[in-house]
Amino acid sequence: MHNDLIAARQSLYDDMQQLHLAPLWASLHTLVPKEPTPPYVPALWRYEDILPHLHRAGELISAEEAVRRVLVLENPALPGRASITQSLYAGLQLILPGEVAPAHRHTQAALRFIVSGRGAYTAVDGERTIMHPGDFIITPSWTWHDHGNPGIDGHTEPVVWLDGLDIPMLRFFDAGFAENGEETIQHVARPEGQSYAAYGNNMAPVKQQHATLNSPVFNYPYARTREALETLRRTQAVDAWHGVKLRYINPLTGGSPMPTIGACMQLLPKGFRGQRHRSTDGTVYNVVEGSGSVTIANTRFSFVPHDTFVVPSWATVAFDAPEDVVLFSFSDRPVQQAMGLLREAFLPD
Ligand code: 1HN
C-alpha cells in the first residue's frame, strides 16, 4: 500500500510535468527556508594573484578593443554568472597610460573604488574627476561615462580600480538597456570639481536642491573619508563589531548614493578584535590599508592591502586587526531596506 502510494504520486508528478506543473509540497521547505541559504560562498581574491593576469591582459588587448579591460571576480560557487553575490558584480579594471575606455551608458549602476595608480580620470555625464587611490566614485544608472589615463604632471602609470555593479540584479529584473556614445570621449560640459563644490561641502545650491535617486556628488575623495575616520577613532568609542564605520550618503537625502548599491568605509584600530555579526546583504570588501584577518562563518582568511573578499548573506563575520586596517565595502543594502527585508544581528562575545 505504502509503495503503491509512492508510485501513484510519482506517476502524478510525471504526468504533471508534461503540462509544466510541479508539486509545491516537494520543494516548499527549500523555497521558504527558515533562514537564508545562499548558493554562493565566502571567498578572498589576493591582489598579488590577480595583478599579473591583469597586466598580461594589458599586453594582449587594448582598453579600447576590450571596451572595458576587466577581470571579473566570480564567486567560486557561481561560475560563468559574472556574480560575486546573487545581486552584485565585481571586477578589477586596468587602464594603461594613454588609453581610453569609450563612452557609453547602461541602466546597470556602477561604482569605482580606486585601488592603485594616479593620472586617470573618469567622466560622468559631462564632468571629469581625477581618480586617486581610495576614492569612491559613482556612475549611476543611465549616465554617460568614459575613462582615460593621460597621466598627471608628465608622469604616467597604470591605474587599477575595483568596479561594483548591480548587473545580476538588473538581469533578474530583465531591465538592462545600453547604448554607445557618438564620440569615444564625451564632451566635457562642466569644469572638474563643480558637483563637489556645489554639493560636497554640507551645502547645496539655494535654487536647485531637489533630491534625486542618485547623489549629485560623484567622487567621494579618500582624503576626506580617511580624515573623518581618523578623527572619530580618537574622539568616540570604537564599535565592538564595526570598529569606526561610516556609510557614504547622498547629501540631499541622507540615503545611499545610488538606489541599488550602498557603500561604507571603516577603520579597525590596531589591536581590534571584532565580535561576530551578520546581515542579509551579502557584502564585498576591499582592503585599503593594513593587514589582518576576517573570519566568515567558520573560515578564516588573512588579507593584505588591495585584496577583495565577499561575505555571503547571513554568514557571520568578525575582523582581527593586528595593525590599523581600513576596509571599503559595498552591498545591495538600500534595496533590501526599501523592501523592508534587511535583517542584521550583532552576536555577543
Ligand atoms: C562598465 O561600463 C564598466 O564603465 C565596468 O568601467 C564594468 C561591467 C559590465 C558592464 C558594464 C565601466 C562593466 C561595465
Side-chain angles (χ1 to χ4, degrees):
M1 176 61 195
H2 187 65
N3 282 343
D4 289 353
L5 182 58
I6 289 171
R9 284 180 179 177
Q10 192 55 53
S11 162
L12 169 64
Y13 304 162
D14 292 345
D15 294 346
M16 282 165 55
Q17 199 173 18
Q18 313 294 316
L19 296 170
H20 311 290
L21 297 169
L24 172 63
W25 56 90
S27 59
L28 189 55
H29 51 291
T30 45
L31 290 176
V32 186
K34 285 211 154 66
E35 53 179 51
T37 53
Y40 62 101
V41 294
L44 180 142
W45 289 259
R46 287 152 43 99
Y47 188 62
E48 184 186 270
D49 294 340
I50 299 173
L51 197 57
H53 295 87
L54 201 46
H55 282 296
R56 271 173 72 190
E59 288 167 10
L60 296 175
I61 188 163
S62 70
E64 195 152 4
E65 186 191 348
V67 183
R68 298 296 186 262
R69 188 199 289 114
V70 181
L71 304 191
V72 181
L73 277 53
E74 287 196 324
N75 193 282
L78 303 173
R81 304 271 308 153
S83 302
I84 191 162
T85 70
Q86 290 255 79
S87 62
L88 296 170
Y89 157 107
L92 275 185
Q93 179 159 178
L94 168 68
I95 187 158
L96 293 168
E99 288 192 321
V100 294
H104 69 189
R105 64 176 176 176
H106 37 72
T107 50
Q108 291 83 0
L111 66 80
R112 330 268 166 216
F113 184 69
I114 316 310
V115 171
S116 164
R118 274 157 227 278
Y121 66 83
T122 186
V124 180
D125 269 354
E127 186 177 332
R128 286 188 181 180
T129 188
I130 305 282
M131 302 191 263
H132 305 90
D135 289 358
F136 165 65
I137 296 172
I138 61 167
T139 307
S141 178
W142 210 239
T143 54
W144 291 106
H145 55 285
D146 57 86
H147 322 299
N149 185 358
I152 197 158
D153 302 330
H155 176 81
T156 60
E157 58 191 44
V159 174
V160 177
W161 65 82
L162 178 71
D163 287 311
L165 287 94
D166 53 13
I167 288 173
M169 202 187 302
L170 267 77
R171 183 167 56 203
F172 173 79
F173 289 122
D174 283 320
F177 294 89
E179 60 187 36
N180 292 321
E182 282 180 13
E183 309 281 345
T184 305
I185 300 172
Q186 69 178 291
H187 168 72
V188 175
R190 293 183 303 282
E192 173 163 5
Q194 192 184 74
S195 56
Y196 198 83
Y199 298 98
N201 296 291
N202 301 316
M203 303 184 89
V206 68
K207 273 188 158 172
Q208 356 160 351
Q209 44 195 323
H210 60 281
T212 55
L213 278 176
N214 295 298
S215 172
V217 169
F218 73 106
N219 187 348
Y220 297 74
Y222 187 53
R224 300 287 297 267
T225 307
R226 187 66 179 82
E227 188 185 336
L229 293 174
E230 196 61 32
T231 298
L232 295 174
R233 68 146 352 146
R234 299 190 190 290
T235 58
Q236 68 173 35
V238 170
D239 184 82
W241 295 270
H242 292 314
V244 180
K245 186 169 183 176
L246 295 172
R247 62 185 175 87
Y248 291 94
I249 62 166
N250 173 342
L252 296 185
T253 63
S256 64
M258 300 188 289
T260 54
I261 311 179
C264 291
M265 192 79 89
Q266 71 198 106
L267 184 152
L268 312 173
K270 176 181 163 77
F272 181 79
R273 301 200 64 219
Q275 290 177 212
R276 294 183 309 148
H277 59 97
R278 57 179 167 179
S279 63
T280 50
D281 57 328
T283 304
V284 179
Y285 289 83
N286 186 263
V287 182
V288 192
E289 296 178 31
S291 301
S293 68
V294 55
T295 303
I296 308 170
N298 293 317
T299 309
R300 186 167 165 276
F301 298 88
S302 295
F303 59 73
V304 300
H306 311 323
D307 290 351
T308 304
F309 56 89
V310 58
V311 178
S313 166
W314 217 234
T316 58
V317 56
F319 299 107
D320 269 312
E323 60 189 42
D324 281 0
V325 164
V326 180
L327 301 174
F328 169 78
S329 58
F330 67 94
S331 78
D332 63 14
R333 175 168 288 236
V335 179
Q336 295 202 29
Q337 283 175 319
M339 297 191 297
L341 295 176
L342 186 83
R343 285 205 196 192
E344 53 188 337
F346 296 93
L347 307 175
D349 241 339

